[in-house]
Structures are given as structure tokens and as C-alpha cells.
Amino acid sequence: MDLVPALEEPLRQPLKSVLGPATAKVMAEHLGLLTVGDLLHHYPRRYEERGQLTHLADLPMDEHVTVVAQVADARLHTFASAKAPRGKGQRLEVTITDGSGRLQLVFFGAGVHKPHKELLPGTRAMFAGKVSVFNRRLQLAHPAYELLRGDPEESVETWAGALIPIYPATAKLESWKIGKAIQTVLPTAREAVEPLPESLREGRGLVPLPEALLKIHRPQTKADIEDARSRLKWDEAFVLQVALARRRHADAQLPAVPRRPAPDGLLTAFDARLPFTLTDGQQRVSREIFDDLATDHPMHRLLQGEVGSGKTMVALRAMLAVVDAGGQAAMLAPTEVLAQQHHRSIVEMMGELAEGGMLGGAEQATKVVLLTGSMGAAARRHALLDLTTGEAGIVIGTHALIEDKVQFHDLGLVVVDEQHRFGVEQRDALRGKGKQPPHLLVMTATPIPRTVAMTVFGDLETSVLDQLPAGRSPIASHVVPAADKPHFLSRAWERVREEVENGHQAYVVCPRIGDEEDDPKKSAKKKSPEDEAEKRPPLAVLDVADQLTKGPLKGLRVEVLHGRMHPDDKDAVMRRFAAGETHVLVATTVIEVGVNVPNATAMVIMDADRFGVSQLHQLRGRVGRGSAPGLCLLVTEMPEASPARQRLGAVASTLDGFELSRIDLEQRREGDVLGQAQSGARTSLKVLAVIEDEEIIAEAREEATAVVADDPELTRLPALRTALDALLDEEREQYLEKG
């Protein structure tokens, strides 16, 4: 780290602080900025031209905003109040404008004196505060402000055209204060060391790093901003890809036991009893997996497949191959409902092959055990014994598999279902249970665009299942605008009745359970009718089930399923639904993944706007799993022009999960994809956008792979090594090691 001492200097230290101690404290606590280097890499979110001011007409509610505008008028009012009974209370109302709209600022009490003197009509300033509504008008109460005074020598054009950087800020630290702090440390940017190899930087025509930092914080022109962003995007993409390439390289050096299935063993017997042929995709992906399992270093493969594309079948065949080769396989599921569901369907698919050591078990059979946190002590002891002796070739379980007590005879393969729900430590703990590192297969039904896979799962080889197995039916999806057209909702319940009359079943999904205790503080506040419509609590399973049984679905057998039920009760409800005894299951998103009831053909999602795009796609995949066509109705009260309705329209218009995941990503911040869910640390991406910068990420991956193959320890590139240490803070470094 001794390459960049100036940039490593802490912003806050006992003897002398680079910034004032109060500012440094807020930066550390609220923005995670600890060193001069961190501050230089806190880039502007956007730039304002003084002449082209923020659209006041487009301000978001309840958010901290920074606007540049001109004072149109300012009025001081006096009023009587409890604190100032003699009419001595003072309120300053200032109206600002930017040509697109007007906004009112209010100051009260002693806080009126300074703005009253400074905010005169015609004055231009930057204002920052939280947007609220008063008397149906937008306002900022007690905003912080900074007057914009042009240099007397400066022409009006130059002043109006100057670019003002607007930084990601917090309520405790306004954008311009961050800007001033950055200007204080900006001279040290000249000491920033180049992480990119010289040949790469020159070959791609990128500006040097010190120049990029100066241009992004103090641009003279829009071209400066472009130059700086192009360069900084490459830094982020390349350093991250080098980290992932080093991880792939290190994994390739680890030893693992090759697992080749016996020629006439369990896998052959299983394939012989399958009542259908595997799709071309399933066969192709299985070949990729078997090739990996046969090598003497651990497989690290991501299997992504559309909902219902037959991933479980591919994973099961991989597990059987490992059992054939004398090892054990563990499948880790995120919830008990899903673990039980997998256990049931795997035992059914294997038949007598899952009855190892039992009467009636086939000659090549093994045992398939379930291990979850809520099992009784005796059943649990039995399962643990089967694992230790090697009697059980396959174990399916929740995080209970990771506990210290769980010992395997010879763990050869770990299958992780729905990767994004598992913490890194959990996967690591399970992998640590093998005598040598086991092979790893990670499955997800959330389609991940190629670039995200490269960025988040860049250390894993990727297989994609994009064909649906024969016999799967298309799913028709429609938006039901309950507020605009209430009769559409009545028709939805009629459709559910029709499906049941035709011998099928249906799901009704709600965002909430409904037995939560209301917070008295929240309910005490009076709300306007507009607020009520906008902010009513999401519909709840228990309430909706009650209304349906007494109303539109009277006479049908309706049951509920949610996460707070006792595991045995959940299992009993699922069994009755799978057996066709229940007509309609009203549930939370516990049914989102893995639940397989081919006879369920209809799904009604209440308050669909409260779910994410990928989640809606996952939920919809629970219907249309048999030979009858599926129907998914997305019920919402959102108005037609709202972004929420557009999102639902997108879901209804395509069944292509990859297309939807792009839409989803474009609407969310990258951090949601690369942040806590993956690393436990905040995302290190600041200027790189995973969807837009697809080309840069793909090229950076190639360059990084070549650099690491040539020099795995980066001994000839010490500056890159330093950048890697700086970018991958300790938490993220651990994440990359564990993955």
C-alpha cells in the first residue's frame, strides 16, 4: 500500500484532520469515506449547468434533492402561535423558479434572519432539502443553501455555462460541502498511481488516472466528463475482472476428487426409468457438468434456467453421478418448504432407487435424507447417522446442513438452489465439510443478463437452460386494473372458479401475512384520502382468504400458506394442495421457488405492483407446469400512466426471463444486484452500469484473464495490486475468496 501514501491518508485522525473533524465523521459514518482516496473516488452523480436549472416540475417526494434556481420573491409573515402568542412568530416564504416550475421554501423563527437578508429576488443559489407537501404544494422547509456569485470578471455566458458537480449526499452533509471537501484534496489526485497496464491504457486511448480524477471533479466541458467517465469505467470493470480472474485461477489450482459415474450404476438405472426424454438443453448442460466432475480440480458452475426448464432434473443427475462414484451430494435450499418439496419430488422421481438398505430397494439404490431445523430429535439423529456412515448418498436440507454437528462420510458435490438467498459464509461452511473441496453447482431461476453473470458470478462457469421441457404449457398474463375497472377483478374471480370447475387449482398471492400488530403511532396520524389510496398497507393473506371464502369463491376449498406457520402445518397444506384436495391456495411468496403442482393452472397476484419484476416472473412460473395452459392475473390499483403499471405491462407482455431481467435492472440501481445480496459489502461500482457497459465488461474480462494467466500474483504490476487492495475492502476480499 506504500505506492500512494497521499491517497491513503485518513480524512480524520487524532492530530490533524484533512477536513474538519465533524465533516470527516459524517463522511465516515454516512458515506463510508475514510481516506483521501475514498473521497476522490466519490464521483458526482450529475452536473448542473447554472443556466439550465433542475426541473423543479419533476421533483420526487420525500427525497433529499439539490436544485439550482433563482429567487422570484420573498415575503416575511408574522403570526401568532403557542410559542409566540402576541403575533411575534415569523415565517419567511421564498419562491424560487427555474423556468420549468416554482417551488416554495419556508423558514421559521430565528432561522428567518439570514435568508431574509441574503435571498433577495434575482439571487441565484443552490438549495438542498427534503421535498414535502404543504397545502397541496411542494415545498422545502429550512433548506440549506449556497449563494452562486459569479466572478465580476466572468461573462454571463461563462458563468451560466459552468458545470456544477452534484454529489451523492446525505441529510447531514449537502452536495456543495462534499464538493468543497473534494476541492481541498483534489491536488493529491496528481499522485494517483495507474492501475491499468500501460499497453492497455494506450491501446484503448484512455486518459491517465490523475487527469480523469481532475476532469470528473472539475470539468471545463462536457467532453471532459466523457473522457473521465470512460477511463474510470475501465478501472472499475478491469480491477473487478482481475479479482475474479485471480479467483478462477486459484480455484483451478485446488485439488478435488474426480467423480466419474460407474458404467452400469445408479445414474444408468435412473435414466432407464425416466418416463420422458431429456431436452437437448438438459443433455448439453449435463455433459458440461459431467466433464467438470471428471476433473481433479473443483467444478464451480452456475446453472441458470428459466422457471420450469428442468434444472432440478439436471442437478439430480449430477448428484447421482457423484453417488455412483462413491461420494455424497448435498442440496442446499433456502426455505423449509422448498427443501421438503425437493425431497418429495426427488424421492418420487427415483422410486426404489431412493430406498437404499430398505426392503424393496433396488440393487444400486442409495438413501435420500432430509435435514431441516424443525425436525424432531429422533429423525434428526437418524439422518445425521446416515450422513456420517455414508449410508445416505443424497441429503437435501436448509441451512441446518451447515451446523457443526453435521459430518459427511465423503462430500463430493454441493448443489445450492437459488444462490442469491444464501450468504457467502453459509456456502463456505458447507464446502468446508468435504475432505477435499467438493464440486459446486449453483442454480438460479432468476435469469441473469450475461454482463451481470460476468460481474457478479465472474468466477463461475455458466450454463443456461433456455428450453422448456415437452408437455409444459404457455402462460397467458394480463394486468387487472382493479381501481379503474372493478368489473375486471370480478371477472378474475370468475376465471378462478372456471378453472376449478374444470378440475384444476389456483394460487392467490398477497404481499403480506396479515397478523402483524399495527403500530399505534402510525395509525394515530390522520391521512388525506390521497394518502390512503397511495399508502394503504399491502393486501394480506389472512384478510384476502377470509373475503374470498365469504364472497367470490364461496363453496370452494380455500387454504392459506405463509412463512410464520409451523413447518408441519406448512407441509400438510402443501401436501393437500399437491394432492388436489384444496382448490385455492392463498399464499405469500413462500411459493415463489420450487413449488411444483402441475394441476395448478391459474394465479392471481394481488397488489402486483408491490413485487419486483423478477419476483413476478418467478411466481408466474408456478402455473402452466402441466399440459393445461396457465393463466396469471396481475391485480393493481396503480393508475395507468404510473411506472408501476408500465412494469406490470412489461411482465404481461413477455415470458422471456432474460428480457425481463434487463428491464428490471434498468429500473433498479446496480447496487441492488451487486450489493449486499452478493458480497455483504457495498457495491464497488460507481460509474460502471452493468447493462449499458456490456462491451466494456466483456473486453475487461478478456484483458484481465490474459493478465492473470501471464502473472497470477501481479508481481510485475504493483500498482494494479494496490488498486485491487483498495477496491476490494476486507469484506469483499473475503467474499471473493469464499464465493
Side-chain angles (χ1 to χ4, degrees):
M1 289 304 240
D2 54 352
L3 284 164
V4 282
L7 272 64
E8 283 306 306
E9 196 172 337
L11 294 172
R12 180 186 178 201
Q13 45 196 336
L15 298 173
K16 68 172 189 59
S17 286
V18 176
L19 308 171
T23 307
K25 184 174 186 239
V26 173
M27 283 190 171
E29 288 175 5
H30 294 272
L31 295 168
L33 306 175
L34 304 173
T35 65
V36 170
D38 290 343
L39 187 51
L40 286 174
H41 288 292
H42 187 71
Y43 308 131
R45 178 178 284 156
R46 58 191 167 84
Y47 299 85
E48 288 292 5
E49 281 182 69
R50 286 174 175 147
Q52 286 181 348
L53 306 176
T54 316
H55 285 303
L56 293 181
D58 302 336
L59 288 181
M61 272 294 295
D62 287 339
E63 278 189 30
H64 278 277
V65 296
T66 301
V67 296
V68 181
Q70 183 169 343
V71 175
D73 74 331
R75 293 176 190 195
L76 190 61
H77 302 274
T78 54
F79 60 90
S81 70
K83 286 184 183 168
R86 295 199 188 128
K88 296 270 179 72
Q90 289 192 307
R91 182 175 78 247
L92 176 66
E93 290 180 1
V94 178
T95 305
I96 57 171
T97 177
D98 65 352
S100 77
R102 296 164 85 82
L103 178 65
Q104 189 159 2
L105 318 177
V106 288
F107 301 88
F108 293 99
V112 304
H113 305 308
K114 185 168 176 271
H116 190 214
K117 281 199 303 237
E118 293 182 334
L119 298 178
L120 303 172
T123 309
R124 290 169 180 274
M126 267 201 287
F127 302 92
K130 191 173 184 181
V131 183
S132 58
V133 170
F134 181 71
N135 277 347
R136 298 192 170 233
R137 288 171 65 191
L138 292 184
Q139 69 168 26
L140 297 183
H142 282 282
Y145 63 88
E146 174 90 337
L147 300 179
L148 297 173
R149 298 186 176 92
D151 184 325
E153 301 296 305
E154 211 172 18
S155 72
V156 174
E157 284 76 19
T158 318
W159 188 87
L163 294 160
I164 306 171
I166 304 290
Y167 291 92
T170 76
K172 293 208 160 58
L173 198 63
E174 292 84 22
S175 167
W176 57 83
K177 288 187 183 163
I178 296 170
K180 281 182 175 169
I182 286 171
Q183 296 304 331
T184 310
V185 301
L186 200 52
T188 53
R190 299 182 194 285
E191 297 177 47
V193 181
E194 280 293 344
L196 298 185
E198 198 56 26
S199 56
L200 189 160
R201 190 182 71 70
E202 287 182 349
R204 296 190 176 273
L206 300 168
V207 300
L209 181 57
E211 187 184 326
L213 289 170
L214 289 167
K215 281 183 167 175
I216 201 148
H217 291 299
R218 202 186 275 161
Q220 301 302 309
T221 62
K222 288 184 178 169
D224 282 355
I225 301 170
E226 276 313 300
D227 285 353
R229 287 178 70 83
S230 304
R231 163 61 211 246
L232 296 167
K233 279 181 178 189
W234 254 95
D235 278 20
E236 284 182 8
F238 181 71
V239 175
L240 189 55
Q241 291 302 334
V242 165
L244 292 163
R246 289 186 70 209
R247 166 97 176 281
R248 287 196 299 275
H249 185 271
D251 282 343
Q253 315 307 311
L254 288 174
V257 180
R259 309 281 180 174
R260 294 184 184 87
D264 285 314
L266 188 55
L267 181 62
T268 312
F270 175 75
D271 284 350
R273 54 170 285 137
L274 276 181
F276 51 81
T277 51
L278 298 174
T279 65
D280 295 346
Q282 284 175 317
Q283 289 176 359
R284 182 193 73 247
V285 171
S286 288
R287 276 196 300 277
E288 292 170 354
I289 291 171
F290 291 155
D291 289 348
D292 282 357
L293 290 173
T295 61
D296 52 12
H297 56 85
M299 162 172 84
H300 288 102
R301 190 167 282 280
L302 171 69
L303 170 57
Q304 39 171 332
E306 277 287 15
V307 177
S309 56
K311 292 183 301 301
T312 311
M313 173 60 71
V314 168
L316 176 55
R317 293 184 75 241
M319 293 196 286
L320 295 174
V322 168
V323 174
D324 252 357
Q328 289 170 295
M331 185 182 223
L332 199 55
T335 64
E336 291 209 348
V337 168
L338 193 49
Q340 287 163 339
Q341 176 83 26
H342 276 319
H343 180 254
R344 245 197 325 270
S345 61
I346 283 172
V347 168
E348 273 167 26
M349 283 195 272
M350 287 175 65
E352 71 269 19
L353 297 174
E355 295 168 3
M358 290 185 251
L359 263 162
E363 189 189 338
Q364 303 95 332
T366 186
K367 233 184 207 180
V368 180
V369 301
L370 175 70
L371 191 64
T372 64
S374 66
M375 280 169 77
R380 188 180 176 75
R381 244 192 336 268
H382 207 83
L384 290 172
L385 188 66
D386 284 344
L387 288 184
T388 315
T389 58
E391 188 85 6
I394 295 176
V395 57
I396 294 147
T398 54
H399 54 268
L401 280 178
I402 298 161
E403 290 169 13
D404 293 342
K405 291 197 281 283
V406 181
Q407 297 296 324
F408 289 86
H409 176 65
D410 178 15
L411 181 61
L413 169 68
V414 173
V415 179
V416 178
D417 192 18
E418 286 310 314
Q419 137 74 23
H420 61 287
R421 294 164 179 241
F422 274 107
V424 173
E425 289 75 18
Q426 293 167 312
R427 287 214 312 271
D428 191 46
L430 192 52
R431 271 166 60 176
K433 289 185 178 293
K435 293 190 177 79
Q436 282 193 333
H439 298 280
L440 176 70
L441 179 65
V442 164
M443 300 199 296
T444 177
T446 307
I448 304 165
R450 196 173 69 105
T451 41
V452 180
M454 273 186 216
T455 314
V456 183
F457 303 110
D459 58 311
L460 300 172
E461 299 300 323
T462 305
S463 297
V464 178
L465 272 178
D466 44 16
Q467 272 174 299
L468 289 184
R472 281 291 161 87
S473 303
I475 304 168
S477 305
H478 303 284
V479 178
V480 177
D484 311 351
K485 299 178 178 164
H487 60 285
F488 276 37
L489 184 57
S490 312
R491 177 69 189 119
W493 301 127
E494 283 170 24
R495 283 292 289 112
V496 169
R497 285 196 91 95
E498 286 163 16
E499 290 299 311
V500 172
E501 280 158 15
N502 290 331
H504 298 302
Q505 292 157 279
Y507 298 99
V508 176
V509 182
C510 306
R512 209 163 55 95
I513 297 173
D515 55 2
E516 303 88 348
E517 282 184 29
D518 284 335
D519 182 342
K521 283 189 199 131
K522 283 184 188 164
S523 50
K525 282 186 188 168
K526 281 295 288 168
K527 293 187 179 122
S528 70
E530 289 87 350
D531 274 356
E532 289 293 344
E534 190 67 24
K535 295 186 178 169
R536 68 160 172 75
L539 291 170
V541 166
L542 302 176
D543 305 340
V544 168
D546 188 48
Q547 288 159 14
L548 292 176
T549 29
K550 290 174 182 165
L553 302 185
K554 196 172 181 180
L556 300 187
R557 287 192 296 280
V558 176
E559 288 209 63
V560 299
L561 180 71
H562 57 76
R564 281 212 294 275
M565 288 165 64
H566 187 279
D568 293 348
D569 296 341
K570 278 193 247 184
D571 199 38
V573 168
M574 272 317 301
R575 278 177 190 279
R576 286 195 292 274
F577 190 65
E581 293 164 24
T582 306
H583 295 138
V584 179
L585 188 63
V586 183
T588 56
T589 54
V590 289
I591 60 152
E592 182 183 344
V593 283
V595 173
N596 184 23
V597 180
N599 191 45
T601 52
M603 175 177 286
V604 181
I605 303 178
M606 307 303 290
D607 279 342
D609 48 274
R610 313 265 179 141
F611 298 96
V613 169
S614 301
Q615 207 173 19
L616 290 169
H617 183 59
Q618 287 273 29
L619 286 165
R620 169 171 64 184
R622 301 298 114 216
V623 294
R625 299 176 79 84
S627 51
L631 172 69
C632 179
L633 302 174
L634 307 167
V635 179
T636 177
E637 291 187 0
M638 284 291 156
E640 196 162 359
S642 63
R645 272 285 283 279
Q646 288 162 3
R647 217 172 57 230
L648 296 180
V651 174
S653 68
T654 177
L655 291 172
D656 181 344
F658 287 93
E659 178 54 33
L660 285 174
S661 66
R662 285 188 79 99
I663 293 169
D664 197 17
L665 257 181
E666 281 160 7
Q667 292 183 339
R668 293 188 339 200
R669 295 190 314 283
E670 242 79 40
D672 296 346
V673 181
L674 305 178
Q676 281 100 359
Q678 300 312 335
S679 66
R682 62 197 161 83
T683 171
S684 54
L685 299 192
K686 296 189 178 84
V687 281
L688 192 70
V690 245
I691 290 289
E692 289 162 36
D693 299 321
E694 193 161 350
E695 224 166 278
I696 295 177
I697 292 169
E699 289 171 15
R701 183 180 164 109
E702 273 177 41
E703 296 268 11
T705 307
V707 164
V708 171
D710 181 47
D711 180 8
E713 289 307 310
L714 308 178
T715 38
R716 296 193 295 281
L717 295 165
L720 175 57
R721 180 77 236 211
T722 303
L724 205 58
D725 293 340
L727 185 77
L728 304 172
D729 53 35
E730 209 173 313
E731 268 185 287
R732 205 173 165 89
E733 184 71 78
Q734 285 173 355
Y735 149 63
L736 284 170
E737 280 169 9
K738 291 175 181 174

